[in-house]
Amino acid sequence: QHADDGGPQPEKHCGHGRGGMGESVTRKEDKRFITGRGNYVDDIKKPGMLHCEIVRSPHAHARIEDIDGSRAMALDGVVAVLTADDLLEHDLATMPTLMDDTQDVLVNDKVKFQSQEVAAVIAEDRYTAKDGAEKVEVEYDVLDPVVDAEEALKEDAPLIRDELEDQEDNHIFDWDTGDKEATERVFEEADVTVEQQMEYQRLHPAPIETCGAVADWDPGKDKMTVHMTSQAPHAHRTLFSQVSGIPEHKVRIVSPDVGGGFGNKVPIYPGYVVAAAASYVLERPVKWIEERSENIQTTGFARDYDMTGEIAATEDGVIEGVKVDVLANHGAYNAAAQPSKFPAGFFNIFTGSYDVDAAYGSLTGVFTNTAPGGVAYRCSFRVTEAVYLIERMVKVLADELDVDPAEIRRRNFIPSDAFPYESATGWNYDSGDYEKALDKALEMADYEHYREEQQRRIEEDADKLLGIGISSFTEVVGAGPGKQCDIAGIEMFDSADIRVNPTGNAVLRIGVQTQGQGHETTFAQIVAEELGMDVDNITVEHGDTDTEPYGLGTYGSRSTPVAGAATAVAARKVREKAKSIAANELEAAEEDIEWDRESGEFRVAGAPDRSITITEIAAGAYMNHPGDEEPGLEAVNYYDPPEMTYPFGSYIVIVEVDRETGEVDFEKFVAVDDCGNRINPMVIEGQIHGGLAQGIGTAMLEEVTYDDNGNVTGGDFMNYLLPTANEIPNFETGHTVTPSPHHPIGAKGVGESPTVGSPPAIVNAVVDAMSHAGVSHVEMPMTPDRVWETLDEAGLAI
Ligand code: MCN
Ligand code: CUM
């Protein structure tokens, strides 16, 4: 199967000591990060640079009567106060969102969420800009807000988007998926049905670095350069050009080092546009950097799904049908960052790892007076919500039937010989072996032992209950086939460009943009593997639209499935040309040249002593190129994946629940992941650890909350609680390898799996500790008081 040009490479053939596939190469980027030499947007300083501070609304819903910037302008060092009127002159008062809505850059008429952008103060330094912002006087006519999605749909709810023609209420969309009638029939005839309502609370990605930009209009070259925190520089360039009217070849977006993205840096935010508009008008560079609470309160949030799930099954626990109804709070604009054609992202993969006959999902999207967003935070376009739904529902069913939750999964898994598998909602799963991953996790967790221990504690009326939670999730990543997936009309392919230098080293340029995932190392490993080069001899460049090939960016764990494939294909093109140069150098026929993956050398068939390395070939390409070939050694590939990839895993979480305090302690945390062939096991391990920590934050701590007046009450790190080393247990990780059959190197994505897969395992564990007393659900975040209340209601509290 390890054909040089086609099939995926089995893992056992990987690792030849050159830093290729399967080797835990130390991350190249870490040298500069850990020695303080990273270069983030706020590190960029340009001569004559001005600073921008945004004036934000204290109200969630209010009409602007007047804005008076005169007291701000009177401050020494304030250069300009910008309002919507100023932007209107340049046609920049509004901007399109990624879901075809229109968002105010600076509020023109009516504020629609707290902290929305109302005006901007531009000053010589940051402190003056901030002082100036405090002196801008805005007169508001305060209106009643509505922050809850259910309330927003009521007839007497205030109309938020009254500027839109034909918008009579706060309803955005109804969307459904699956076969409604077939599903109803299955439910009518089923032995057993279970139902559970659950909320996936509003979260915020909270990367360490907030969002920001340095915009620099050069009137000499008519060129706009924007350094910005972007997960998708090329897509942002195209949108920037469309919004501003500046031709695309005169716009350069540079995304330098990015201090975490987690989906927060996919959308375009008003701050970026204001900085660019200010630079254009004032003809000086302008920097805008968000503060922490601005980031949490205004930029792309995550989740906020209110879901009601139902399962129909036989009395033996064989699942026949799944139904789900969702109310989705999208905030004041429909601005989710996801492929344009999917109003609910990839939520419709909600049948998960199970072979289900019929499924039906219906969703309603709603405007509220809250910040816009919805798709972020390691979510794979809302697969987080889908996995939470199905993995929680399976536990509900297991408890209803009194069947072991591991056993019930086994009875329903899509069998490993059923792939490629088409799900009831139309997804084409490429490969999987769910039982293998679950078995491995059960063994690592010492499952039987803990089940006995759990029973013992119940019988002895122990102060601390034991709970065991499982999640056997399936992900879908690698958007996407261009025909299905686009961003603002641009097909979601990706790209790689490899140039081999005369001295035998190479530069790889990729269309994706790392925010900490380690692409400078792992993408070099793909080239090392495919060309027999040493990984140290390959430099990876990304994030500059002037030099990199066009790509759609890093999110939805698509870098490996799409740009990783492009890199492998481009490297194989280089290898083909290298063969012809090898033939020339070795004075043999091209057909007789073989490439040996193990040694990385090109050889004459049947004459193993006549061989040549890629370094010698590189020299030949520039110094002695064959007459019938162009000189040089390089290749480009734009890769449109035929299908997405379906990583999966089984997580087992064992918790102790304190009956006196409601506190939850992690006793054991096992994560078995399968992302197909692995490029760098150590990088994968890092991704898993970080993602599991975020899963714990999700399940136990994090939530953005609003009061009835629309004030954000969870909008800073005093109230939005991120997990720290104190809350994070020791993770035990394991893996299985089920290669993707259609990916050139058999790899699937992994970046989001741990955050997608872990919250239901954690909630299942806490519920499991109390299910003998009839508890079927605890909402996230599972704070001690919430858990204690549940214990109390179940008669378990002491
Ligand atoms: N990898 C590998 N072998 C595989 C699959 C992946 O070695 N079979 C490696 C890749 O080469 C890459 C890393 O694992 O270095 C993640 O790869 P992939 O799953 O392709 O995901 P992306 O690179 O596209 O990263 C995006 C994903 C998303 S969408 C979010 S959100 C998230 C995440 O990554 N944001 C992150 N992980 C993050 N990690 C950090 N440090 N910072 C973020 O902002
Ligand atoms: Cu959904 S967060 Mo990531 O896709 O950038």
Side-chain angles (χ1 to χ4, degrees), residues 21-22 27 29 205 207 231 258-266 376-381 477 512-523 525-526 553-562 564 647 674-687 690-691 694 745-753 755:
M21 286 283 292
R27 298 201 334 165
E29 42 269 82
Q231 290 182 228
V258 177
F262 307 113
N264 187 231
K265 292 164 181 169
V266 184
Y377 204 10
R378 291 183 113 150
C379 68
S380 304
F381 306 127
V477 300
V512 292
Q513 159 67 30
T514 173
Q515 303 97 46
Q517 294 88 342
H519 294 175
E520 287 169 42
T521 309
T522 52
F523 280 71
Q525 288 183 255
I526 299 173
T554 288
Y555 42 80
S557 303
R558 64 187 295 281
S559 302
T560 303
V562 194
D674 191 321
C675 57
N677 288 336
R678 307 188 314 155
I679 302 163
N680 184 323
M682 185 179 61
V683 166
I684 293 172
E685 181 89 353
Q687 287 289 306
Q694 291 181 311
I745 55 171
K748 302 179 179 186
V750 78
E752 295 165 305
S753 295
T755 313

Side-chain angles (χ1 to χ4, degrees), residues 144-281:
D144 282 340
V146 59
V147 294
D148 178 79
E150 203 176 327
E151 294 294 321
L153 285 183
K154 290 187 177 158
E155 213 163 295
D156 57 351
L159 180 61
I160 298 167
R161 300 297 301 277
D162 52 357
E163 86 281 14
L164 298 178
E165 268 176 52
D166 307 329
Q167 185 79 31
E168 283 163 8
D169 53 24
N170 295 317
H171 175 269
I172 313 175
F173 63 82
D174 283 318
W175 185 72
D176 68 349
T177 172
D179 188 333
K180 187 176 182 182
E181 269 172 42
T183 309
E184 294 298 351
R185 234 177 298 127
V186 165
F187 271 78
E188 273 160 31
E189 288 162 17
D191 298 343
V192 189
T193 62
V194 288
E195 180 179 326
Q196 179 65 52
Q197 193 205 338
M198 61 193 86
E199 267 170 48
Y200 211 134
Q201 77 272 29
R202 181 174 285 224
L203 299 174
H204 197 273
I208 294 176
E209 183 200 25
T210 59
C211 299
V214 176
D216 188 2
W217 170 251
D218 180 341
K221 289 183 181 164
D222 288 330
K223 183 158 182 171
M224 178 67 84
T225 300
V226 188
H227 283 75
M228 63 187 263
T229 47
S230 171
Q231 290 182 228
H234 280 101
H236 285 166
R237 182 186 71 186
T238 302
L239 291 172
F240 232 99
S241 163
Q242 286 169 348
V243 173
S244 67
I246 302 171
E248 197 169 351
H249 67 295
K250 297 285 188 183
V251 179
R252 176 185 177 203
I253 305 287
V254 186
S255 191
D257 287 333
V258 177
F262 307 113
N264 187 231
K265 292 164 181 169
V266 184
I268 293 200
Y269 297 123
Y272 301 140
V273 180
V274 170
S279 176
Y280 186 80
V281 174

Side-chain angles (χ1 to χ4, degrees), residues 676-745:
N677 288 336
R678 307 188 314 155
I679 302 163
N680 184 323
M682 185 179 61
V683 166
I684 293 172
E685 181 89 353
Q687 287 289 306
I688 305 281
H689 278 225
L692 292 178
Q694 291 181 311
I696 290 174
T698 299
M700 309 307 295
L701 299 163
E702 301 179 33
E703 181 169 28
V704 180
T705 47
Y706 292 86
D707 69 14
D708 289 343
N709 292 322
N711 297 309
V712 190
T713 49
D716 53 52
F717 279 168
M718 291 298 285
N719 295 290
Y720 189 86
L721 302 177
L722 291 187
T724 68
N726 285 327
E727 289 82 24
I728 304 303
N730 187 33
F731 300 125
E732 294 168 50
T733 56
H735 69 278
T736 57
V737 175
T738 310
S740 167
H742 60 76
H743 189 283
I745 55 171

Side-chain angles (χ1 to χ4, degrees), residues 512-573:
V512 292
Q513 159 67 30
T514 173
Q515 303 97 46
Q517 294 88 342
H519 294 175
E520 287 169 42
T521 309
T522 52
F523 280 71
Q525 288 183 255
I526 299 173
V527 177
E529 173 71 28
E530 295 297 332
L531 287 180
M533 287 171 85
D534 193 289
V535 70
D536 290 338
N537 291 338
I538 301 143
T539 294
V540 177
E541 291 184 359
H542 52 78
D544 184 339
T545 59
D546 265 10
T547 47
E548 268 68 86
Y550 202 105
L552 272 284
T554 288
Y555 42 80
S557 303
R558 64 187 295 281
S559 302
T560 303
V562 194
T567 301
V569 173
R572 289 170 190 180
K573 283 190 188 175

Side-chain angles (χ1 to χ4, degrees), residues 156 250 411 490 593 615:
D156 57 351
K250 297 285 188 183
R411 286 181 200 169
I490 309 160
I593 300 293
T615 307

